Amino acid sequence: MGLGVLEPKTSEHVPGTSFVLDDASRPTLLQDRDADLKYDRRGAVPIILVPQPSDDPNDPLNWPLWKRDVILVILSTISVIASTLSPLLAANTVTLSLYFERDFTQMALLTGYHLLGVGVAGFIFVASARIWGKRHLYLLGTILIIISSAWGGAVGTNYASLAWARVIQGVGLAPFEALVNAS
């Protein structure tokens, strides 16, 4: 067997397994009930597609591979960029505490506020994605991240405004934290 798994020494049949393709009672020819299933017919033996794509051309399972790869690269890139917002201020906490004239704990709370926004919005976005889909949430998250980043950069020395910008950044990050792994 592969990956270092040892062959059983006592018998040919491993308990808890079955030979699906070698089962004589299983029909090998295409039945009428299987006629509506979709197959990948590129190889010598047709393979049943799981999950089954719909007839809709907008179904991602019907898209060409290059289009799916482009979407994957875009989502991955935005997720990496968005996820760097969480620890971004941690490296400059001392510098920011001097700039804002606040103590170290208050500046460290900016990361906590950011994660608070991620946590609260995550529940809302996951439920919303199950009902209406993910695309609008990715767009909303991107727009919120851009606006809140510009807002956070323009606050000057207003700590409360920066704290709210960090909360909104967290809300914008939530779709990329919670939904990309399911896309």
Side-chain angles (χ1 to χ4, degrees), residues 141-163:
T142 303
I143 290 167
L144 285 176
I145 286 172
I146 291 169
I147 290 171
S148 62
S149 295
W151 174 15
V155 297
T157 57
N158 188 344
Y159 176 81
S161 183
L162 181 59

Side-chain angles (χ1 to χ4, degrees), residues 66-80:
W66 67 266
K67 186 174 182 179
R68 286 182 274 172
D69 287 345
V70 167
I71 302 246
L72 177 67
V73 167
I74 290 170
L75 279 176
S76 299
T77 303
I78 292 175
S79 296
V80 167

